[in-house]
Amino acid sequence: MDKETIKQARVVKHTGSHYLVSDLPEWKLTKCIVRGKLRLTDSRTTNPIAVGDMVDYELQSDGTGIITKIYPRHNYIIRKSANLSKESHIIAANIDMAYLIVTLICPKTPLPFIDRFLVTCEAYSVPVKIILNKCDLYEEIKESVESFKDLYKSAGYTTIEVSCTTGQNIEILKEECKGKITLFAGISGVGKSTLINTLDSSLNLKTREISEYHLQGKHTTTFYEILPLRSGGFVIDSPGIKGFGLIEMKPEELSHYFPEMLRVLDNCRFAPCTHTHEPDCAVKKAVDEGIIAPERYISYLGMLEEGSKYR
Ligand code: GDP
Ligand code: ZN
């Protein structure tokens, strides 16, 4: 095989039968397929190649490609395919920043969902920030907004307050996205599609009224894709992320992915410590003293409990 025909590129989309790749930041798509052998590299994930993966492909005479190699990932976001299943699904790989879009009303994002997503990011080395969307609606609940921001600030996270309706902080977000591949995640209805459309109206992602959500089929297959922003950078829209599962985590490891717990856990008398029943536990002490938010500790306990189901 002629060396010239081996090319390196980024996987930008996966449909059922093929992958689209492009040598970012250039946006020139090549349709690729995978050799059967490559599919077996990791049997525990349902998709051995994920959006964001760097690959080599052999360019064919008809202009399509055959993927021959996947480069090691520097990070990725993963979720369990189904509850209690041992299989997992890599949502996206090699992400520069994950933005978790949350809303306090219409709909209210559950705190355990937020914490689970943040833990996943910590565990897989994905930098993450919170975007609080629909700030135009929070006039009446200013106190909830402040306590939300305080809760995550004390945990070590940045929250950016935005509104697609008023344009609040949209320019700042555009600047942050330049030169990066960013993932936009969040439960249905928080405004992911609207936000991406606000960053670049030419993308024209489909948005839906909240009232239409029940019309969506439960088992609609969703494919993740990288989209170019006119103002610079690339975004990955991740439609309807539900039920993030934690993958293969030892109970004593979980607290390492809560930044505020990681800061104090060296002072626990026992190592490893699960910060539940152990005496002289620095994490429990920090919760008692109000240094660690009880909401976060409750999320932690919930995740520990849930994790035990998988073992
Ligand atoms: P997705 O499921 O996360 O992609 O959510 P969509 O982008 O489809 O938005 C769901 C609903 O929220 C739509 O009716 C949007 O018009 C609305 N929405 C999105 N952003 C905002 C915002 O900043 N303020 C208000 N008031 N509504 C918003
Ligand atoms: Zn402890």
Side-chain angles (χ1 to χ4, degrees), residues 268 273 275 281-283:
C268 292
C273 179
H275 323 297
C281 168
V283 169

Side-chain angles (χ1 to χ4, degrees), residues 56-292:
D56 278 347
Y57 66 96
E58 282 174 16
L59 188 61
Q60 307 295 291
S61 51
D62 66 356
T64 66
I66 297 174
I67 294 174
T68 54
K69 177 181 175 177
I70 314 174
Y71 286 83
R73 301 175 172 124
H74 65 77
N75 65 29
Y76 53 86
I77 298 259
I78 196 165
R79 72 157 189 212
K80 276 195 189 304
S81 297
N83 243 3
L84 300 174
S85 140
K86 286 243 185 273
E87 260 191 353
S88 50
H89 185 93
I90 295 174
I91 289 174
N94 304 319
I95 304 150
D96 296 309
M97 179 67 75
Y99 287 115
L100 177 60
I101 325 286
V102 307
T103 45
L104 298 184
I105 47 171
C106 305
K108 180 173 166 52
T109 305
L111 292 186
F113 173 85
I114 298 176
D115 293 329
R116 187 158 279 122
F117 187 85
L118 296 174
V119 162
T120 307
C121 289
E122 299 296 340
Y124 295 98
S125 312
V126 179
V128 57
K129 284 188 187 179
I130 297 168
I131 292 183
L132 183 59
N133 189 30
K134 308 200 186 185
C135 284
D136 56 292
L137 301 179
Y138 302 153
E139 199 56 39
E140 311 273 286
I141 54 159
K142 278 184 179 152
E143 275 174 24
S144 312
V145 173
E146 287 314 308
S147 53
F148 177 86
K149 276 164 42 191
D150 288 347
L151 173 59
Y152 286 99
K153 191 177 172 192
S154 70
Y157 295 100
T158 303
T159 301
I160 309 173
E161 293 165 85
V162 310
S163 165
C164 298
T165 308
T166 66
Q168 180 185 350
N169 288 334
I170 295 296
E171 287 306 315
I172 288 176
L173 196 54
K174 260 189 206 169
E175 280 304 313
E176 283 201 7
C177 288
K178 283 183 184 167
K180 294 196 188 81
I181 297 179
T182 49
L183 174 88
F184 284 71
I187 61 168
S188 285
V190 293
K192 288 182 299 296
S193 315
T194 309
L195 184 57
I196 293 172
N197 287 340
T198 307
L199 292 171
D200 184 342
S201 58
S202 70
L203 290 173
N204 206 9
L205 296 185
K206 222 173 140 248
T207 62
R208 285 166 304 159
E209 292 305 317
I210 300 278
S211 58
E212 292 173 47
Y213 282 108
H214 68 281
L215 297 174
Q216 186 189 15
K218 258 196 186 147
H219 299 288
T220 33
T221 329
T222 42
F223 293 109
Y224 299 91
E225 64 182 311
I226 292 182
L227 301 165
L229 290 178
R230 270 188 308 191
S231 50
F234 297 87
V235 296
I236 304 173
D237 175 29
S238 43
I241 288 185
K242 272 193 219 120
F244 257 78
L246 299 171
I247 314 298
E248 287 173 28
M249 210 173 279
K250 296 192 197 90
E252 60 271 23
E253 200 186 330
L254 180 61
S255 58
H256 293 230
Y257 306 124
F258 283 74
E260 71 273 52
M261 295 186 188
L262 183 62
R263 282 198 289 266
V264 302
L265 54 81
D266 278 346
N267 300 327
C268 292
R269 194 214 293 182
F270 292 97
C273 179
T274 62
H275 323 297
T276 52
H277 59 277
E278 296 88 345
D280 291 332
C281 168
V283 169
K284 280 195 290 177
K285 185 162 165 272
V287 175
D288 288 342
E289 289 171 353
I291 297 164
I292 289 177

Side-chain angles (χ1 to χ4, degrees), residues 285-303:
K285 185 162 165 272
V287 175
D288 288 342
E289 289 171 353
I291 297 164
I292 289 177
E295 293 91 332
R296 292 273 291 169
Y297 184 63
I298 289 165
S299 278
Y300 167 77
L301 294 177
M303 279 180 236

